[in-house]
Amino acid sequence: MGFKLISLFLLLPLLTLTILSRFDHALASDKKLHESHRNRTVLAGAGRVKIAALKGRKQTRDCNLFQGRWVFDANYPFYDSSTCPFIDGEFDCLKFGRPDRQFLKYSWQPDSCTIPRFDGQAFLNKWRGKRVMFVGDSLSQNMWESLGCMIHASVPDTKTTFIKRTPVSSLTFQDYGVTIYLYRTPYLVDISKESVGRVLNLGTIEGGADAWKDMDILVFNSWHWWLHKGVELQGWDYIRNGSSLIRDMDRLDAFSKGLTTWAQWVDQNVNISQTRVFFQGISPTHYVGKEWNEPSNSCNGQMQPLSGSTYPGGSLPAASIVSRVLSWMKTPVYLLDITTLSQLRKDAHPSTYGAYGGNDCSHWCLPGLPDTWNQLLYAALSM
């Protein structure tokens, strides 16, 4: 008995040290998880996919689609811009004189798996008779047009109907009964006309949202317009925040409130037995070269991606807001966490090679980066 007591007293410090060590390791791991926006789960915003099927927030450890690097790939791009009839001039960089083509030759390689190559005909067969809708701003348009071109390259002879209108545009592949819609609404929440002028209402989604219902795939996006300043650029005169009507407020706070309203709408209106819901994630800009250690530069003249898997400029606060809002939703929403992989592509913007002039470091060339976004969407739906 005495020997057992002595042994126990000798073991207690070791057990305590082991427990504390594991606790400290858990805290460090938790801190690292929260500090790295690239490693979020779908619940907090990442992209591990369940091999059997996409089931909302549930993921396995098999593959994080959004942790990886860009590699040169001679098999890219997926299509030739000159043969795709759906590309808007602001994205058609080669048509408007971009002289280099190396930016077309990069593929995204996750660290822990291989992404299935996009197959447009397989996509059409799987989603035959279904409807897909991109909802958001011009970055949604970027992704919508990209998907149309990728599918068209696989089935170039199939009949299509292409309609561009405001706010709803559509592309139908008639032989398959698949329609891909674009619904333009940059804030997701309402802008209404009142006696004082145009009011951005952070608490309502009414205008047009019925069009989002009964889709088979919904891909939402919002952020860029929340940064616009000046009544002409921002598209509104006042903000309604609860009972308050104000001229302006902190834009991150406004985005958080607006996205919360969107989340409540999704939870109340989306039938998850029919509809798979995605959030496109925050697309970055490259106007400030100091973010990648080139203080005097912007995206103009950039010809290759950044190497590695981390962006020197760090994460975007808006991405953290998206993750937080998605984390408490009842509806499974899969975050296409494209932020970091897009931050690495300082070379992929139109810059001065677009239809509207200026230096565009916000949108993306087609073919180009949005094709990877769609390949990741395809992977999330397929793996």
Side-chain angles (χ1 to χ4, degrees):
M1 181 68 179
F3 175 78
K4 290 182 179 179
L5 283 174
I6 292 170
S7 299
L8 179 60
F9 281 118
L10 288 172
L11 284 172
L12 276 174
L14 180 60
L15 288 170
T16 302
L17 181 60
T18 301
I19 293 169
L20 287 174
S21 175
R22 290 182 178 179
F23 180 69
D24 288 341
H25 178 73
L27 284 177
S29 298
D30 186 64
K31 181 178 180 182
K32 183 177 180 182
L33 178 66
H34 283 81
E35 287 177 346
S36 176
H37 73 288
R38 295 178 291 102
N39 294 326
R40 290 186 293 268
T41 63
V42 165
L43 186 62
R48 301 178 187 272
V49 294
K50 191 170 181 63
I51 296 302
L54 173 66
K55 293 185 178 179
R57 299 184 180 96
K58 294 182 180 179
Q59 301 185 56
T60 68
R61 293 172 294 177
D62 298 297
C63 179
N64 184 334
L65 293 174
F66 309 104
Q67 171 70 49
R69 66 195 187 282
W70 290 99
V71 298
F72 184 82
D73 191 332
N75 293 318
Y76 277 61
F78 287 100
Y79 55 89
D80 188 326
S81 59
S82 66
T83 62
C84 181
F86 316 125
I87 302 179
D88 190 89
E90 66 179 316
F91 312 137
D92 199 345
C93 303
L94 297 181
K95 179 179 179 179
F96 286 90
R98 180 161 179 169
D100 63 301
R101 291 175 177 260
Q102 184 174 337
F103 75 97
L104 300 172
K105 296 293 185 179
Y106 291 97
S107 65
W108 178 249
Q109 178 58 59
D111 291 336
S112 54
C113 60
T114 300
I115 304 173
R117 186 168 176 85
F118 183 86
D119 184 332
Q121 188 166 27
F123 180 91
L124 291 174
N125 283 324
K126 180 175 181 178
W127 297 97
R128 185 181 293 270
K130 304 298 185 180
R131 299 185 296 172
V132 181
M133 178 174 276
F134 293 88
V135 183
D137 56 25
S138 53
L139 277 307
S140 293
Q141 180 180 347
N142 226 172
M143 191 172 179
W144 173 68
E145 292 182 10
S146 163
L147 182 58
C149 290
M150 292 169 75
I151 296 174
H152 181 263
S154 296
V155 287
D157 298 324
T158 194
K159 295 179 180 179
T160 60
T161 301
F162 184 52
I163 301 172
K164 291 193 74 173
R165 294 175 181 164
T166 302
V168 185
S169 299
S170 64
L171 170 59
T172 300
F173 293 87
Q174 296 179 14
D175 297 335
Y176 299 86
V178 174
T179 300
I180 305 170
Y181 295 93
L182 170 69
Y183 192 103
R184 289 291 295 267
T185 174
Y187 294 102
L188 298 179
V189 293
D190 293 335
I191 297 178
S192 56
K193 292 183 179 179
E194 300 185 19
S195 58
V196 295
R198 301 164 300 175
V199 177
L200 176 65
N201 195 328
L202 301 181
T204 65
I205 294 180
E206 296 174 355
D210 283 345
W212 311 348
K213 297 178 181 178
D214 301 322
M215 292 288 160
D216 298 286
I217 300 173
L218 281 169
V219 184
F220 289 97
N221 158 64
S222 185
W223 170 238
H224 275 210
W225 277 59
W226 295 89
L227 293 175
H228 289 183
K229 295 293 182 76
V231 293
E232 293 305 319
L233 286 176
Q234 67 195 22
W236 47 265
D237 305 295
Y238 291 86
I239 295 177
R240 187 174 297 284
N241 180 21
S243 59
S244 301
L245 188 67
I246 53 180
R247 279 287 190 182
D248 209 341
M249 63 183 290
D250 180 89
R251 297 303 180 86
L252 277 171
D253 288 344
F255 176 60
S256 179
K257 291 176 182 293
L259 199 65
T260 298
T261 298
W262 163 82
Q264 292 168 344
W265 184 93
V266 169
D267 280 343
Q268 294 167 9
N269 290 279
V270 171
N271 178 2
I272 61 174
S273 66
Q274 175 188 344
T275 305
R276 294 184 176 183
V277 185
F278 294 80
F279 198 90
Q280 186 175 329
I282 302 300
S283 176
T285 63
H286 289 95
Y287 290 104
V288 183
K290 68 179 182 181
E291 291 181 0
W292 62 92
N293 302 319
E294 295 181 14
S296 61
N297 293 334
S298 69
C299 72
N300 190 15
Q302 301 291 332
M303 298 178 64
Q304 60 187 17
L306 289 166
S307 60
S309 59
T310 58
Y311 186 62
S315 60
L316 298 177
S320 298
I321 291 173
V322 171
S323 297
R324 185 176 70 246
V325 171
L326 296 188
S327 71
W328 57 255
M329 293 178 66
K330 294 184 297 182
T331 304
V333 177
Y334 189 101
L335 176 61
L336 291 170
D337 193 6
I338 51 94
T339 301
T340 299
L341 66 90
S342 301
Q343 285 179 314
L344 298 173
R345 293 306 306 271
K346 58 185 173 63
D347 60 316
H349 296 282
S351 64
T352 58
Y353 303 106
Y356 305 138
N359 184 33
D360 184 356
C361 298
S362 297
H363 301 102
W364 308 92
C365 294
L366 294 180
L369 177 65
D371 304 333
T372 296
W373 299 349
N374 281 309
Q375 190 178 12
L376 293 167
L377 173 64
Y378 179 77
L381 291 168
S382 303
M383 292 177 72

